[in-house]
Amino acid sequence: MAAHAGVSRQTVSNALNAPQRLTAPTLARVRAAIDELGYVPDEAARALTSRRTRLIGIHIGPTAHSHASTPEPLLAEFVRAAARHGFRLVVLGSFGDDAGQIAAFDDVWRRRAVDGVILTDTHTDDARPAWLRERGVPFAAFGRPWGAPDSPHPWIDVDGHGGAWLAVDHLASSGHSRIAFLGWGHDEAGGDDRERGWLEAMTTRGLDARPHAHASGDTVVAGAERAAELLERWRPTAVVCASDTLAAGVVRAADRRGIAVGSDLAVTGYDDSPLARLTHPELTSLTQPFAAVADFLVDHVVMASGIEVPDPPPRTRVAEPTLVVRGSTGGVRAGALSF
Amino acid sequence: MAAHAGVSRQTVSNALNAPQRLTAPTLARVRAAIDELGYVPDEAARALTSRRTRLIGIHIGPTAHSHASTPEPLLAEFVRAAARHGFRLVVLGSFGDDAGQIAAFDDVWRRRAVDGVILTDTHTDDARPAWLRERGVPFAAFGRPWGAPDSPHPWIDVDGHGGAWLAVDHLASSGHSRIAFLGWGHDEAGGDDRERGWLEAMTTRGLDARPHAHASGDTVVAGAERAAELLERWRPTAVVCASDTLAAGVVRAADRRGIAVGSDLAVTGYDDSPLARLTHPELTSLTQPFAAVADFLVDHVVMASGIEVPDPPPRTRVAEPTLVVRGSTGGVRAGALSF
DNA sequence: CTGAAAGCGCTTACAG
DNA sequence: CTGAAAGCGCTTACAG
């Protein structure tokens, strides 16, 4: 390779890692040779000498704290975002609790098998951030540090409050005023935040913010049960739900009563999961900005591992979801309204 | 580390990589020191010298050829199966076509960033196996080599034919005889195989195998449309579907006509996707043996990369799905019947 | 059965 | 601005 370009091995390395050190003609010559020979450096050798694997670890699958895991579209965005910096993703497995995840982090970190990790599904009393900080593992979290707002690590979260507000806005501007809320009960993570958004949007508009209920869990069956009572008692013309699952429950409950979703009753979901397109009519819902989330998290891990990134993100960020209008709110034309 | 155990560095290496070379007492002493110090070898150094990364590449996300991607539960099984051999998984991104995937394989292989790859979603005129074979990349495929049955690479597939047969068996033994089939039209991959299973099971039992229909696509809406015709024309007491999506369509069509699924009409899905638990009643379906699939594929890649595995699998295998009985076939008690 | 030597393929200081 | 040297932390032959 070096011989082919008529330069030394170090010059090739410089062309790849510190192009500013070479004169333009030399660089051009070396690059031409690189292209011609299809040369790419051996990752293991590069990792050994540079003390950098260009690998980021992440867990997948449901955790002990939430039904929400790393959905595949988000994983795909992580891969894309990492590739911008020449990084790849390593899947660390699916473990039910913090201790299991920490054990996996410990293993890969001591082997120097990754440059950092991404945390998802943060929760109250999360043991992971403190552990990672102590060990000096570069990391960033999807989800705010519930119960520890001053935690110094980088994180990004999606605005549940703002999303619910968007849903109320959409419904109110379509003429609805009896807008109920269905959540899945109290936890400190996402659910409450979404309920507060509904509450404030209603109050701000001077609408009756009493019609609300909590399902016994985030399932279709639990949602349908509670929806039946909610519909019976308050006769709402619209229901804002804290999840697509609960919204599907509302659709089922309405179907059973002969209430036509989309015309007699408007329903909004949340998360824009695959389920949102499986009900009839399809659910108006709130999409999470996965691409922005992935860029943010990857950039932070890459930065923390000692590499400069073009457009450094702030330490924390609350990103806005997007309302996707479908048939469940009478949307004739499907479209996206931005916040 | 070596000093702590009073042996040389090579003896530590032997204890880790070739324990049979050491005498029992030496091995015990070295292992004690390893545990005490929590020593684990640096992966980059190990990879450089052993020419082995212990990393396996895989694509995620939908492809150009199928709506079916690598579902998260399968990915989790891959991680578990790989860990048995000290391997990890690298996500190569989500690309729409063979060419995109091949480009990604080419990149990681030339960088020596993986020891091999796992292929999913095989299809007719699949360009990937031949490319990988030419380059000498260790690989194994989930899905038989459609259109090229004599392809010499290792593969595992799930028996669609046998699964449909299981469904018919289950229904017939519950007293059904007017059992219809709903598929998604002709393709050479999974769909036809499942239809043939229904056809043969029906014919073998001397039942009328005419009532069948093909939806215009594998969606709930398309399924509901075709189901309406099917129900109208043949008045079946049971419908075997080629997917959970189509089965959900049948449930919807039945609901609209006031036909009670589970008592008036039995419905079976296929794949046991999350959707199977979202309909009402929940769908009897066929579960894919993901753990066995993952073990098989990982073992083959590990073997092909030059490492012996305890219980070497055959080159090809057709694994049997398992019938999971739920409310849609009147299952009072949910349970699993093995093939 | 155990140890001293060589080397995996790069990058990182450091001379020229 | 470019090149010769050293070394990253292991494992793999090969001597003893």
Side-chain angles (χ1 to χ4, degrees):
Chain A
M1 165 62 223
H4 189 273
V7 296
S8 73
R9 182 195 295 174
Q10 307 72 279
T11 306
V12 176
S13 182
N14 282 335
L16 255 25
N17 303 301
Q20 74 285 359
R21 287 198 192 163
L22 272 46
T23 53
T26 307
L27 184 57
R29 193 155 41 92
V30 176
R31 284 193 168 156
I34 286 175
D35 285 350
E36 197 177 330
L37 272 58
Y39 170 79
V40 284
D42 178 295
E43 283 291 338
R46 197 207 268 254
L48 179 58
T49 198
S50 68
R51 309 279 60 202
R52 202 165 273 144
T53 62
R54 305 203 295 184
L55 252 22
I56 296 174
I58 189 168
H59 281 278
I60 58 158
T63 69
H65 306 87
S66 162
H67 57 116
S69 60
T70 308
E72 199 177 77
L74 178 56
L75 192 52
E77 291 293 344
F78 281 140
V79 173
R80 178 199 52 73
R84 294 177 308 152
H85 304 295
F87 276 63
R88 276 179 281 273
L89 281 193
V90 172
V91 183
L92 298 184
S94 127
F95 295 98
D97 57 4
D98 289 0
Q101 289 192 31
I102 286 174
F105 291 151
D106 189 39
D107 183 64
V108 292
W109 185 246
R110 281 174 29 208
R111 292 182 193 283
R112 297 181 185 268
V114 299
D115 290 344
V117 301
I118 288 174
L119 246 45
T120 59
D121 192 27
T122 56
H123 49 265
T124 313
D125 297 324
D126 197 331
R128 301 168 299 168
W131 189 92
L132 291 167
R133 216 180 317 128
E134 263 170 40
R135 297 293 184 110
V137 185
F139 78 101
F142 182 20
R144 61 195 79 187
W146 301 102
D150 298 327
S151 203
H153 66 267
W155 57 261
I156 186 169
D157 205 356
V158 179
D159 188 4
H161 183 281
W165 190 293
L166 271 182
V168 172
D169 247 21
H170 167 58
L171 294 165
S173 66
S174 306
H176 292 275
S177 57
R178 297 211 306 282
I179 305 172
F181 178 85
L182 178 61
W184 63 73
H186 290 289
D187 59 6
E188 298 184 31
D192 279 2
D193 203 31
R194 295 172 186 185
E195 179 162 353
R196 271 194 300 275
W198 166 80
L199 185 64
E200 288 183 24
M202 294 294 284
T203 310
T204 303
R205 287 178 174 271
L207 300 174
D208 182 0
R210 284 174 303 167
H212 67 280
H214 297 140
S216 56
D218 188 20
T219 67
V220 177
V221 171
E225 266 173 30
R226 265 300 178 287
E229 300 173 23
L230 196 65
L231 295 175
E232 193 71 35
R233 175 158 180 208
W234 296 100
R235 306 266 167 198
T237 61
V239 185
V240 170
C241 299
S243 72
D244 289 334
T245 326
L246 294 178
V250 174
V251 170
R252 185 179 294 171
D255 277 352
R256 285 197 200 139
R257 299 179 126 57
I259 299 172
V261 173
S263 45
D264 297 348
L265 180 73
V267 179
T268 65
Y270 212 112
D271 292 334
D272 196 19
S273 61
L275 177 56
R277 320 202 68 152
L278 293 172
T279 59
H280 184 79
E282 297 182 347
L283 295 174
T284 289
S285 192
L286 287 141
T287 307
Q288 314 226 42
F290 283 157
V293 168
D295 285 345
F296 177 96
L297 294 170
V298 166
D299 281 2
H300 267 293
V301 173
V302 169
M303 281 166 60
S305 80
I307 294 175
E308 279 184 47
V309 306
D311 211 349
R315 186 180 66 86
T316 67
R317 185 176 155 197
V318 176
E320 295 304 327
T322 304
L323 187 73
V324 182
V325 178
R326 300 205 183 90
S328 71
T329 56
V332 184
R333 61 211 151 83
L337 303 176
S338 248
F339 189 67
Chain B
M1 166 61 223
H4 190 273
V7 296
S8 73
R9 182 194 296 172
Q10 305 73 278
T11 305
V12 176
S13 182
N14 281 336
L16 256 25
N17 303 301
Q20 73 286 358
R21 286 199 194 162
L22 271 47
T23 54
T26 308
L27 183 56
R29 193 155 43 91
V30 175
R31 282 192 169 157
I34 286 174
D35 285 350
E36 198 177 329
L37 272 59
Y39 170 80
V40 283
D42 180 296
E43 283 291 339
R46 198 208 268 256
L48 179 57
T49 198
S50 68
R51 308 278 62 203
R52 201 166 273 144
T53 61
R54 305 203 295 182
L55 253 22
I56 296 174
I58 189 169
H59 281 277
I60 59 160
T63 68
H65 306 89
S66 161
H67 58 115
S69 58
T70 307
E72 200 177 76
L74 178 55
L75 192 51
E77 291 293 343
F78 282 140
V79 173
R80 177 198 53 71
R84 294 177 307 151
H85 305 294
F87 276 64
R88 276 179 281 274
L89 282 193
V90 172
V91 184
L92 298 184
S94 126
F95 296 98
D97 58 5
D98 290 358
Q101 289 194 28
I102 286 174
F105 291 150
D106 189 41
D107 182 64
V108 291
W109 183 246
R110 280 173 31 206
R111 292 181 191 282
R112 296 180 185 266
V114 298
D115 291 343
V117 300
I118 288 174
L119 244 47
T120 59
D121 192 28
T122 56
H123 48 266
T124 312
D125 296 325
D126 197 332
R128 301 169 301 168
W131 188 91
L132 291 167
R133 214 179 320 129
E134 261 171 43
R135 296 294 184 111
V137 185
F139 78 102
F142 183 18
R144 64 195 78 189
W146 302 103
D150 298 326
S151 204
H153 66 266
W155 56 261
I156 186 170
D157 204 356
V158 179
D159 187 5
H161 183 280
W165 189 294
L166 271 182
V168 172
D169 248 18
H170 167 58
L171 294 165
S173 66
S174 305
H176 290 276
S177 57
R178 296 211 306 283
I179 305 172
F181 179 86
L182 178 61
W184 64 70
H186 290 288
D187 57 7
E188 299 185 30
D192 280 1
D193 204 29
R194 296 173 185 184
E195 180 162 351
R196 271 194 300 274
W198 165 80
L199 184 64
E200 288 183 23
M202 294 294 284
T203 310
T204 302
R205 289 179 172 271
L207 300 175
D208 182 0
R210 283 173 305 166
H212 68 278
H214 297 140
S216 56
D218 187 20
T219 68
V220 177
V221 170
E225 267 174 29
R226 266 299 179 285
E229 300 173 25
L230 196 63
L231 295 175
E232 193 72 37
R233 176 159 177 206
W234 296 99
R235 306 267 168 197
T237 63
V239 184
V240 170
C241 299
S243 73
D244 289 334
T245 326
L246 294 179
V250 175
V251 170
R252 184 179 293 170
D255 277 352
R256 284 196 202 140
R257 299 178 127 58
I259 300 172
V261 172
S263 46
D264 297 348
L265 181 71
V267 179
T268 65
Y270 212 113
D271 292 334
D272 196 19
S273 63
L275 176 57
R277 322 202 67 152
L278 292 172
T279 59
H280 183 78
E282 296 183 347
L283 296 174
T284 291
S285 191
L286 287 141
T287 308
Q288 316 226 41
F290 283 157
V293 168
D295 285 345
F296 177 97
L297 294 169
V298 165
D299 281 1
H300 266 294
V301 173
V302 169
M303 282 166 59
S305 80
I307 294 175
E308 278 184 46
V309 305
D311 211 350
R315 187 179 66 85
T316 67
R317 183 175 156 197
V318 176
E320 295 305 327
T322 304
L323 186 74
V324 183
V325 178
R326 301 206 182 90
S328 71
T329 55
V332 183
R333 63 214 148 79
L337 303 177
S338 247
F339 189 64

